[in-house]
Amino acid sequence: PFDHPIETTKATAIYNMHTYWSKKPHDAIRQYIRHYTKPGDLVLDPFCGSGGTALAALMEGRKAIAIDRSPAATFITKNYCTPVDVDELKAAFEELKRKVKLEIDWLYETRCDRCGGKATTAYTVYSQVFQCPRCMEKVALFDCPEVEGRTQKGKPKKIRVCPHCRDRGIAEEISTSGEKFGAVPVLVSYICENGCKPARDERRHDDTDPRKREFFEKYDLGKIREIEGKEIPYWYPKDRMMHAPEDQECWGVKWRAGTSNFRTVDELFTKRNLWALAAIKYNILSINVDQSLKDSLLFSLQGILLINSRMCRAETTQTQNGTYYLPAIFKELVSINSVLTKVRTISEAQSGLVLSSTNFMISNESAQALSLPPNSIDYIFTDPPYAGNVQYGELNFVWEAWLGFDTNWHDEEIIVNEIRGKTMDDWATDMRKAMSECFRVLKPGRAISLCYHD
């Protein structure tokens, strides 16, 4: 048995090529593969997720079969396990950037309030508007100062209070669970392209500087209004989440009233970023490069979709992992810059990625019915779904909709999901079938390592 401590870290470029749910570091899996197999052996993962087992096997000179019912998962696995020429990838991105430049420049253009010259929006902060229960004024949460408050049990906590009531000496809490009146832009960070030092500056919707307030209204809000008044000239996904019926408000376990109250994929994005992401995808498909490079660019796009949605928290520039949480204050990033950051991460990872084998196969078949002969696999390392703890189908839906993949496979998902009527008994039955298939294809006397923890 493998009986010694695992030494691993998630702080690597390889791990950060793509953030997947409940992901295990590939170098931890490598230690198991070295222990249980020899070079040339065939390794299987019937719940491959982002492909850590397949990647570890190839790095150790083994052959690999990676299976997952989710096409988003197998697309990630394919890109993890396919070497890419870093210089060619960077050149492909530069070609993409050149093709989208005029449109991106138009979408994010603004003006510097110091010199009046041309500037580019770096990011925009949006805030949800709530109504004060005392004075009845509608206020952006962004404008509500934080003060020390108390929970019902008397414990200290930070609360946001109405600025109008506070001016009168009253600390009236603005609850984010109250009725929402829409998200509005409240802050813009911009980069002057006309020589101002420093180039970066910001302004607010209620700025004390009247010139900054004027520029915010005329150029920042003006640009957003201009975009809102036009039709996006590219395809983008309009799928109802999980294909829920029109009259069904709750589309899944990850739906929450107030914190994930969007019904379609496109509603997860501001119109400006929806336009930018659609333009980027269209031009990835149309540039004249090899398919492997297009796949790498689509892989980069997939990896930045959620951080470029309304899920991006303003204070951390991160999303809340494993859920569809829409914060009351969120940050709208510039999508092409996010793709650039992801391309750089992938390039760094690929530069240090040495595969001793490229002999692998990926499939979207069900783990309950493997198209493999009996006694054909030397080793299985797999990390299966833990009942309903991670809702892979729901969490992968946005990726699969954007990339045009199959989004109708969820009846075959091994999961506990009360919205879809999938019970713990269903999960146990399906998992037994999958484990029986693992037993059938595994060679006598060989091992399966079942990763079952969170």
Side-chain angles (χ1 to χ4, degrees):
F2 185 89
D3 61 356
H4 56 274
I6 301 170
E7 294 180 4
T8 187
T9 178
K10 296 180 179 181
T12 66
I14 293 175
Y15 187 89
N16 290 321
M17 279 185 13
H18 197 290
T19 301
Y20 197 72
W21 330 110
S22 188
K23 180 178 174 182
K24 305 301 180 287
H26 72 283
D27 57 344
I29 305 171
R30 289 181 72 178
Q31 297 169 56
Y32 280 87
I33 288 174
R34 281 196 295 268
H35 181 83
Y36 284 110
T37 65
K38 61 182 184 299
D41 277 358
L42 180 56
V43 177
L44 168 68
D45 186 350
F47 299 99
C48 72
S50 57
T53 298
L55 180 64
L58 298 178
M59 294 178 80
E60 291 297 325
R62 280 65 165 167
K63 293 170 286 189
I65 297 175
I67 294 170
D68 203 291
R69 194 62 192 86
S70 167
T74 50
F75 185 71
I76 298 169
T77 296
K78 180 263 181 190
N79 281 278
Y80 257 104
C81 296
T82 304
V84 174
D85 185 286
V86 170
D87 291 333
E88 290 181 0
L89 176 58
K90 291 177 180 177
F93 173 77
E94 289 303 319
E95 173 64 11
L96 170 66
K97 186 178 177 181
R98 184 188 66 78
K99 292 198 73 170
V100 301
K101 185 180 188 310
L102 287 178
E103 201 145 16
I104 295 296
D105 286 351
W106 172 77
L107 284 168
Y108 298 98
E109 69 182 354
T110 187
R111 288 276 168 177
C112 174
D113 51 63
R114 293 166 292 174
C115 67
K118 186 178 178 182
T120 300
T121 303
Y123 62 80
T124 302
V125 173
Y126 282 72
S127 174
Q128 190 61 245
V129 173
F130 298 91
Q131 188 170 38
C132 174
R134 180 179 290 269
C135 70
M136 306 306 290
E137 290 282 353
K138 291 185 175 69
V139 292
L141 188 66
F142 180 83
D143 297 332
C144 299
E146 276 193 341
V147 300
E148 288 292 340
R150 296 279 175 180
T151 66
Q152 288 185 342
K153 294 183 179 180
K155 294 183 179 180
K157 72 165 186 175
K158 292 282 188 182
I159 62 171
R160 288 184 178 267
V161 298
C162 172
H164 304 289
C165 291
R166 192 174 188 232
D167 289 343
R168 299 194 300 271
I170 302 169
E172 184 64 36
E173 182 177 2
I174 300 297
S175 172
T176 56
S177 62
E179 183 181 357
K180 295 177 174 62
F181 293 88
V184 296
V186 292
L187 181 147
V188 166
S189 174
Y190 69 86
I191 301 169
C192 177
E193 298 181 13
N194 203 38
C196 286
K197 299 294 182 183
R200 179 75 71 103
D201 200 5
E202 66 179 40
R203 52 185 173 243
R204 302 178 178 225
H205 72 120
D206 60 351
D207 211 292
T208 55
D209 184 333
R211 182 173 171 85
K212 285 183 176 291
R213 286 201 310 275
E214 176 192 354
F215 272 62
F216 188 94
E217 172 64 33
K218 184 175 181 179
Y219 297 108
D220 301 324
L221 296 186
K223 171 56 65 175
I224 292 171
R225 287 192 291 265
E226 182 183 4
I227 293 168
E228 291 291 339
K230 295 180 180 294
E231 291 292 325
I232 298 176
Y234 306 100
W235 174 90
Y236 59 87
K238 302 175 184 177
D239 311 55
R240 294 193 308 278
M241 288 295 294
M242 302 303 291
H243 302 298
E246 289 279 4
D247 58 352
Q248 181 180 313
E249 185 180 18
C250 175
W251 47 257
V253 172
K254 292 299 175 183
W255 180 89
R256 295 286 186 278
T259 59
S260 58
N261 54 340
F262 61 99
R263 294 291 313 283
T264 61
V265 173
D266 54 306
E267 288 176 355
L268 189 56
F269 302 84
T270 64
K271 187 169 183 180
R272 174 157 53 186
N273 272 11
L274 191 66
W275 191 318
L277 292 166
I280 290 168
K281 189 198 172 191
Y282 173 85
N283 282 283
I284 288 174
L285 297 177
S286 65
I287 59 176
N288 185 25
V289 296
D290 291 342
Q291 187 61 46
S292 62
L293 293 171
K294 289 186 180 183
D295 283 349
S296 290
L297 291 174
L298 288 171
F299 179 52
S300 303
L301 178 65
Q302 179 187 3
I304 62 92
L305 282 172
L306 299 184
I307 198 67
N308 277 264
S309 74
R310 294 192 289 134
M311 291 168 57
C312 181
R313 290 180 287 177
E315 69 275 16
T316 62
T317 317
Q318 294 178 339
T319 61
Q320 189 165 312
N321 191 38
T323 189
Y324 286 113
Y325 172 72
L326 304 184
I329 302 175
F330 70 90
K331 184 182 288 186
E332 178 196 61
L333 304 177
V334 177
S335 299
I336 194 66
N337 295 341
S338 299
V339 175
L340 171 60
T341 299
K342 185 60 71 173
V343 166
R344 286 172 174 168
T345 300
I346 293 171
S347 298
E348 181 185 352
Q350 288 280 354
S351 297
L353 198 58
V354 179
L355 301 184
S356 300
S357 169
T358 55
N359 196 341
F360 75 102
M361 182 173 68
I362 303 173
S363 172
N364 278 128
E365 69 187 9
S366 170
Q368 301 177 64
L370 302 175
S371 56
L372 295 169
N375 307 327
S376 58
I377 301 297
D378 294 298
Y379 176 57
I380 300 172
F381 184 101
T382 194
D383 181 14
Y386 318 138
N389 190 53
V390 180
Q391 294 292 330
Y392 295 98
E394 293 183 7
L395 293 170
N396 291 1
F397 191 88
V398 170
W399 292 335
E400 288 163 357
W402 265 102
L403 294 178
F405 293 158
D406 175 22
T407 56
N408 294 286
W409 55 271
H410 303 105
D411 286 347
E412 298 180 54
E413 184 177 15
I414 302 178
I415 202 76
V416 176
N417 186 300
E418 61 185 25
I419 305 301
R420 305 210 304 271
K422 288 182 170 287
T423 67
M424 182 66 79
D425 286 342
D426 295 330
W427 176 86
T429 299
D430 292 345
M431 192 58 69
R432 285 190 189 98
K433 291 178 183 177
M435 292 299 105
S436 295
E437 281 292 88
C438 288
F439 182 80
R440 180 182 67 82
V441 303
L442 194 62
K443 290 178 180 178
R446 302 307 293 263
I448 175 171
S449 295
L450 189 63
C451 184
Y452 198 89
H453 68 92
D454 187 11

